[in-house]
Amino acid sequence: MARSALLNVMVQAAFKAGKSLARDFGEVQNLQVSLKGPGDYVSQADRKAEKLIREELMKARPTYGFLGEESDEIIGTDGAHRWIVDPLDGTTNFLHGIPCFAISIALERNGEIVAAVVLNPATDELFTAERGGGAFLNDRRLRVAARKNLSDAVIGCGVPHLGRGNHGKFLIELRHVMGEVSGMRRLGSASLDLAYVAAGRFDGFWERDLAPWDLAAGILLIREAGGYATDLAGGSAMLDTGTVVAGNEYIHKALSEVVHRPVPTR
């Protein structure tokens, strides 16, 4: 696949940070057996990865803005472009030595995501996309799954955890979806969940209470793989609402309807 100069910059930044995270992940796996645990070490790894990514991206395009999870937003002087970065999506997995985490980098131009990179340093899986150029896993072209019925579908979701999200609302949505689908999965990394939809591994996905850096790259991956990704109201304000529902044309529609199904009254 041919990559633009900008996408090459993003890939280079992801791999540089990925090497750092892979080394730190090995240390975390050793620290995991201790009583103290690796929490402080992980937070340092997270910040270090974002610093590496920010330096690489800003060196290549110093006038672009930068929105990352671990640092204050930088407003770009060109006014049109912004990097949106999660240096470690799946921190809890990383913390527990589970090799399911990712670096997510997206480029926004005038409010539209135009390039995306999601890298899992533990598996060396690199998901990339550019607007109008398709989505790829390493060098293989991606397409969303072709299943049309929820009864045949495996659906990914995010689960609210301690101190975050509306647990009661999620449990109602989960009960509705579980009764309609072949299987449910929860990876613990939204950017990988969305990449898995693009790759056809998941047929669909929904989640609430996400940040822009959780969503931005994955949204483009799905759309360039022929899928649909909207907010839960059916619009395009995912980065503002923090909600997403995704799948192919049929699964997206059906999943949206089930998630919004009213609670039965007695």
Side-chain angles (χ1 to χ4, degrees), residues 74 110 163 173 178 196 198 203 240 247:
I74 298 171
N110 295 319
E173 293 174 351
M178 284 175 61
Y196 276 27
D203 297 284
D240 297 321

Side-chain angles (χ1 to χ4, degrees), residues 89 100-104 116-120 123 125-129 135-138 140-145 156 187 189-205 214-225 229 244 246-247:
D89 182 23
C100 185
F101 57 90
I103 294 164
S104 176
V117 169
V118 173
L119 171 68
N120 182 346
T123 62
E125 287 192 320
L126 175 69
F127 300 87
T128 58
F136 296 83
L137 168 53
N138 297 330
R140 179 173 64 83
R141 184 71 178 260
L142 296 181
R143 295 293 298 177
V144 293
L187 290 183
S189 170
S191 61
L192 281 180
D193 284 315
L194 296 169
Y196 276 27
V197 174
R201 296 172 178 177
F202 289 170
D203 297 284
F205 175 78
D214 298 318
L215 288 165
I219 289 167
L220 185 65
L221 285 170
I222 290 171
R223 289 176 171 174
E224 288 298 320
V244 67

Side-chain angles (χ1 to χ4, degrees), residues 41-239:
Y41 193 90
V42 171
S43 64
Q44 293 171 17
D46 206 341
R47 290 192 294 268
K48 181 170 62 176
E50 181 164 312
K51 184 174 184 291
L52 288 170
I53 294 168
R54 186 175 66 248
E55 288 175 350
E56 285 293 312
L57 297 179
M58 300 306 286
K59 180 173 65 178
R61 295 294 188 274
T63 63
Y64 288 11
F66 185 95
L67 176 65
E69 183 177 15
E70 300 300 324
S71 59
D72 294 333
E73 183 174 3
I74 298 171
I75 306 300
T77 57
D78 84 340
H81 295 87
R82 180 172 66 160
W83 304 110
I84 303 176
V85 173
D86 192 340
L88 178 52
D89 182 23
T91 305
T92 301
N93 286 344
F94 193 97
L95 179 75
H96 287 268
I98 300 169
C100 185
F101 57 90
I103 294 164
S104 176
I105 305 174
L107 176 60
E108 183 183 56
R109 177 180 296 139
N110 295 319
E112 297 289 334
I113 306 302
V114 297
V117 169
V118 173
L119 171 68
N120 182 346
T123 62
D124 288 326
E125 287 192 320
L126 175 69
F127 300 87
T128 58
E130 291 186 271
R131 189 169 66 179
F136 296 83
L137 168 53
N138 297 330
D139 292 323
R140 179 173 64 83
R141 184 71 178 260
L142 296 181
R143 295 293 298 177
V144 293
R147 297 177 187 88
K148 296 183 178 182
N149 300 314
L150 281 179
S151 58
D152 300 321
V154 170
I155 302 296
C157 67
V159 179
H161 52 75
L162 181 66
R164 179 176 173 181
N166 187 328
H167 293 207
K169 187 176 187 63
F170 168 74
L171 289 173
I172 292 169
E173 293 174 351
L174 179 63
R175 184 177 69 188
H176 289 163
V177 175
M178 284 175 61
E180 301 286 344
V181 303
S182 175
M184 298 289 306
R185 300 292 183 269
R186 191 309 196 240
L187 290 183
S189 170
S191 61
L192 281 180
D193 284 315
L194 296 169
Y196 276 27
V197 174
R201 296 172 178 177
F202 289 170
D203 297 284
F205 175 78
W206 96 98
E207 189 169 359
R208 298 178 183 270
D209 302 307
L210 292 168
W213 44 78
D214 298 318
L215 288 165
I219 289 167
L220 185 65
L221 285 170
I222 290 171
R223 289 176 171 174
E224 288 298 320
Y228 289 70
T230 67
D231 59 33
L232 284 174
S236 59
M238 289 82 75
L239 303 191

